[in-house]
Amino acid sequence: GATDIVYSGASFFQAASHSRISSAADLKGFEAVRMVRDLARRQNSAALAQLAARMASAGHSGAADPFEKIKGLIADMIEKLESKAAADATKKSYCDKELKESTEKKAEKTSEVEKLTTRIEQRAAKSTELKDEVQELQGQLAKLMSTQAEMDKMRSTDKEVYTTEKADMELGLSGV
């Protein structure tokens, strides 16, 4: 076999470790754990860091094939990530649907507000027009009433003149 090589190093996830590598399989396992730890550090992923710790523990467990356990851990992690991605996609599609509906409702309401605003403006203009017309008609009515009053006064005066002169005219007609 290979000679015993001792690796030691400190990382964020591991204060200090001494791994005894006695075979090519141990070396591959160590390299796999190191790659996952480095990836976890670059990605700032707690889930990957946890996977690296589980992989390291599986490598030290003394099982016949530690890679079988590591493969299972990776498969579990992938399954969790896929289910989370599916849940996120479902949430996103729900949000997209709701956003689309809200945008449509907003457009409908905006259109309705514009129609009502136009209708209000038209009716306000019509109201102003009718008020002006009423004012003009009231002026004409006042003028008519004034003219009617003058005519009534003239008739009254004419009637008084007729009444006083009627007797004289009848005398003059009967005397002829």
Side-chain angles (χ1 to χ4, degrees):
T3 60
D4 289 352
I5 302 171
V6 177
Y7 284 91
S8 67
S11 72
F12 178 76
F13 304 105
Q14 158 188 2
S17 74
H18 295 282
S19 299
R20 194 151 293 278
I21 298 176
S22 59
S23 69
D26 288 345
L27 180 60
K28 288 179 185 177
F30 176 78
E31 287 297 318
V33 170
R34 187 184 59 74
M35 283 183 7
V36 172
R37 277 190 184 138
D38 289 346
L39 181 62
R41 197 173 303 122
R42 282 192 307 262
Q43 298 291 324
N44 287 330
S45 171
L48 284 175
Q50 186 178 23
L51 175 65
R54 285 183 180 168
M55 287 171 61
S57 135
H60 297 305
S61 68
D65 187 10
F67 282 108
E68 205 50 49
K69 184 158 182 157
I70 291 172
K71 287 177 191 175
L73 291 171
I74 291 173
D76 290 346
M77 173 113 184
I78 290 171
E79 187 178 311
K80 285 179 189 176
L81 290 173
E82 286 175 345
S83 68
K84 184 178 179 192
D88 288 348
T90 302
K91 286 179 186 176
K92 183 179 180 336
S93 69
Y94 172 77
C95 289
D96 289 346
K97 177 184 155 241
E98 289 296 315
L99 182 63
K100 180 182 176 191
E101 289 175 4
S102 295
T103 303
E104 289 172 358
K105 282 183 183 178
K106 181 182 177 189
E108 288 173 10
K109 297 299 180 185
T110 301
S111 173
E112 188 175 333
V113 165
E114 288 173 359
K115 285 178 187 176
L116 291 174
T117 301
T118 301
R119 192 180 291 169
I120 287 171
E121 289 171 354
Q122 288 173 344
R123 292 200 175 158
K126 181 71 173 174
S127 174
T128 302
E129 182 182 315
L130 289 174
K131 286 178 184 176
D132 291 345
E133 192 175 314
V134 164
Q135 194 172 15
E136 183 182 324
L137 289 173
Q138 284 177 338
Q140 289 176 359
L141 184 60
K143 190 175 181 182
L144 257 173
M145 289 174 69
S146 171
T147 304
Q148 183 69 38
E150 284 180 36
M151 291 173 76
D152 286 347
K153 187 176 180 184
M154 284 175 44
R155 282 191 196 119
S156 174
T157 306
D158 285 348
K159 184 179 178 187
E160 286 177 22
V161 168
Y162 173 75
T163 308
T164 53
E165 292 182 6
K166 180 181 173 191
D168 291 337
M169 276 185 16
E170 282 181 4
L171 283 174
L173 280 178
S174 42
V176 172

